[in-house]
Amino acid sequence: MAAYTHSVGGTQWRFDSLREVMAKASPARSGDFLAEVAAGSDAERVAAQMCLAQIPLKRFLEEALIPYETDEVTRLIIDSHDAEAFAPVSHLTIGDFRNWLLGDDADEAALNALAPGLTPEMVAAVSKIMRVQDLILVAQKVRVVTRFRNTIGLRGRMSTRLQPNHPTDEAAGIAASIVDGLLYGNGDAVIGINPATDSTSGICELLKMLDAVISRYEIPTQGCILTHVTTSIEAINRGAPLDLVFQSIAGTEAANSSFGINLALLQEGYEAGLSQKRGTLGDNLMYFETGQGSALSANAHHGVDQQTCEARAYAVARKFKPLLVNTVVGFIGPEYLYNGKQIIRAGLEDHFCAKLLGVPMGCDICYTNHAEADQDDMDVLLTLLGTAGINFIMGIPGSDDVMLNYQTTSFHDALYLRQSLGLRPAPEFEEWLAKMEILRQDGGRLQMGSQLPPAFRQALERMT
């Protein structure tokens, strides 16, 4: 394993591996300090970044950060690499690649064609030498479009996950949140519930309730209970009406093992979902959640920095052609992302890396109550991600999840972003909102109605 050196201001810095260069080139964050892999000073960080900029992209195909022999995620990354797609940039260094990404040649078509030729380590590396504006500019060029019962990810569109969690899974409370969210135009990405309990019978009842709401209102969206993939498989075996198969994933085999999963089990869940044939426009049916720090929290990071571990999770997601992937960016806590500045940077990095890899990326723009962050920080990240072309965000009553006990984005936040940036829901969902008179035409653009719409009220009455 070769050593890497760089001189800054008369000081010669040495990094003993590509893994060390990557870790010490990362913008400062608490998780890397906790893992004892971060740069010891700003000068060392700059030296590592300048060293990284001179490393050829193809070096990441020659020096694995986590050994091929001991990690199935590394094997997936290497074995699925598309050399032909990689060819247009194969001669570039990381610094040259950054310049190319910012140039006019890196348009939407070129970036979509390139995605199978990029590895997570390559995109993580280039993100480490990019400013916030660079991460936004490049990411907004890329569109990753997916379909199940509607079309998510089109340019000029921004979808939302309606998250009607309830601390006891009470059907009435969940239904009230669903109605509230629909009235604000939320729910086109998915109506997705984090269950309070993980019993298969309870999950099946929630699935039946979601299916009843979607079917009776004829909503062009999909439902999901965010339970373990094994529970979803069992629910399918019991005949429950399951649309999307959910699972939290990470970027190393050991971290995924801590979640009770591996690639073979995810494949089983994917095939079980396909067997349902519930999609009307497409068969993208997996929903994955990720987050910086998950590998470290399981002591399964192998000395790799947390942002690179996170990017490796997107290779796992990409294999299964998901409808939705989102980073729950501030959820794990300040041990990994200490404050608003670190959360903002991490959210933009995650979105950038996922989009370059061809992953349909959303973000749970969130923080825990003991983090050095507040709703103003989340407004900043929300606005920046909207500008960067995020596929979807969360929509939660009052931005406060009463079951998971963290702060995220509200129904109103999604409405703000759509109005401020001229973004619209998924086209099929937008048509349904207009049909239900939840949205009305006013001066050539859709705006929210101020009262319970007659058509929607009549639909409610028919249900009850």
Side-chain angles (χ1 to χ4, degrees):
M1 200 176 288
Y4 301 84
T5 60
H6 196 83
S7 179
V8 177
T11 300
Q12 184 83 355
W13 296 92
R14 175 189 169 95
F15 309 100
D16 290 332
S17 65
L18 186 55
R19 179 172 57 200
E20 185 180 0
V21 177
M22 289 280 281
K24 293 190 172 179
S26 294
R29 63 205 58 198
S30 53
D32 289 338
F33 286 107
L34 181 64
E36 299 181 344
V37 300
S41 65
D42 290 339
E44 185 179 23
R45 183 173 300 108
V46 169
Q49 288 173 339
M50 295 178 72
C51 182
L52 183 61
Q54 297 173 1
I55 295 174
L57 279 173
K58 61 186 177 183
R59 182 65 184 157
F60 289 94
L61 300 174
E62 301 163 353
E63 184 178 337
L65 304 190
I66 302 174
Y68 180 95
E69 296 77 15
T70 60
D71 186 273
E72 69 172 0
V73 177
T74 299
R75 292 195 291 274
L76 170 66
I77 291 167
I78 298 301
D79 294 348
S80 63
H81 181 254
D82 187 329
E84 184 176 348
F86 180 57
V89 298
S90 62
H91 61 292
L92 299 178
T93 64
I94 295 297
D96 293 333
F97 185 44
R98 172 189 176 271
N99 295 336
W100 182 83
L101 287 170
L102 293 170
D104 292 338
D105 288 342
D107 57 16
E108 183 174 352
L111 291 173
N112 285 336
L114 179 62
L118 297 177
T119 70
E121 292 85 354
M122 292 175 190
V123 298
V126 76
S127 77
K128 295 176 190 300
I129 62 169
M130 299 183 94
R131 295 169 57 184
V132 161
Q133 65 176 247
D134 299 340
L135 298 173
I136 294 171
L137 177 62
V138 175
Q140 64 82 29
K141 297 181 184 184
V142 185
R143 287 297 179 271
V144 182
V145 179
T146 57
R147 294 176 176 86
F148 190 75
R149 292 201 187 100
N150 56 24
T151 307
I152 299 171
L154 295 169
R155 188 170 296 277
R157 308 274 178 172
M158 195 268 306
S159 297
T160 62
R161 170 189 161 192
L162 202 171
Q163 186 170 314
N165 294 345
H166 191 277
T168 62
D169 288 342
E170 182 185 8
I174 292 171
S177 293
I178 291 174
V179 170
D180 190 19
L182 291 172
L183 286 170
Y184 280 97
N186 282 248
D188 49 338
V190 64
I191 302 175
I193 302 170
N194 295 93
T197 62
D198 215 24
S199 72
T200 304
S201 59
I203 298 302
C204 289
E205 290 305 309
L206 288 174
L207 286 167
K208 291 174 185 176
M209 185 195 74
L210 275 184
D211 182 61
V213 171
I214 292 170
S215 299
R216 292 179 190 178
Y217 285 1
E218 298 180 331
I219 309 172
T221 190
Q222 35 283 326
C224 183
I225 308 300
L226 281 69
T227 187
H228 196 270
V229 62
T230 54
T231 309
S232 292
I233 293 169
E234 178 58 26
I236 289 172
N237 291 337
R238 294 188 186 187
L242 187 146
D243 292 337
L244 305 186
V245 177
F246 171 82
Q247 183 56 50
S248 295
I249 57 173
T252 73
E253 179 178 347
N256 283 326
S257 294
S258 75
F259 292 153
I261 62 167
N262 55 33
L263 296 178
L265 182 58
L266 292 177
Q267 183 68 34
E268 183 181 349
Y270 176 55
E271 292 173 0
L274 286 174
S275 72
Q276 297 287 84
K277 297 185 167 102
R278 292 178 60 83
T280 55
L281 296 184
D283 59 4
N284 301 118
L285 53 82
M286 300 298 283
Y287 175 15
F288 295 119
E289 285 191 344
T290 68
Q292 287 195 29
S294 59
L296 174 58
S297 69
N299 195 28
H301 60 296
H302 300 277
V304 176
D305 67 272
Q306 68 180 38
Q307 189 252 333
T308 301
C309 283
E310 169 72 5
R312 285 168 54 94
Y314 308 150
V316 176
R318 179 168 63 176
K319 173 177 171 59
F320 299 101
K321 304 178 180 64
L323 180 75
L324 308 167
V325 179
N326 72 268
T327 169
V328 193
V329 67
F331 184 75
I332 301 181
E335 299 84 358
Y336 307 95
L337 295 169
Y338 179 72
N339 56 19
K341 179 181 177 66
Q342 293 186 11
I343 293 171
I344 290 167
R345 171 80 194 193
L348 293 169
E349 289 170 348
D350 295 350
H351 178 252
F352 165 88
C353 290
K355 284 292 185 66
L356 281 188
L357 292 169
V359 171
M361 197 62 172
C363 184
D364 190 342
I365 301 162
C366 63
Y367 64 101
T368 57
N369 290 319
H370 63 308
E372 290 294 320
D374 58 28
Q375 209 64 45
D376 284 344
D377 295 316
M378 299 307 103
D379 284 352
V380 171
L381 180 54
L382 172 67
T383 306
L384 294 176
L385 284 171
T387 304
I390 194 80
N391 276 32
F392 70 102
I393 63 170
M394 306 299 118
I396 291 171
S399 78
D400 185 356
D401 192 300
V402 296
M403 197 276 282
L404 294 174
N405 195 29
Y406 76 116
Q407 309 302 313
T408 181
T409 46
S410 71
F411 302 146
H412 305 73
D413 294 333
L415 184 58
Y416 144 74
L417 197 63
R418 283 172 173 166
Q419 290 183 344
S420 297
L421 299 182
L423 302 172
R424 298 159 67 184
E428 300 85 359
F429 191 77
E430 181 181 62
E431 183 179 343
W432 178 84
L433 291 172
K435 174 184 172 184
M436 300 304 291
E437 300 175 0
I438 294 172
L439 295 174
R440 68 176 187 272
Q441 284 287 76
D442 186 0
R445 73 171 187 154
L446 291 168
Q447 294 183 340
M448 299 300 304
S450 59
Q451 297 178 349
L452 188 64
F456 191 67
R457 185 175 62 248
Q458 291 166 12
L460 282 171
E461 290 170 351
R462 285 197 300 272
M463 269 199 71
T464 56

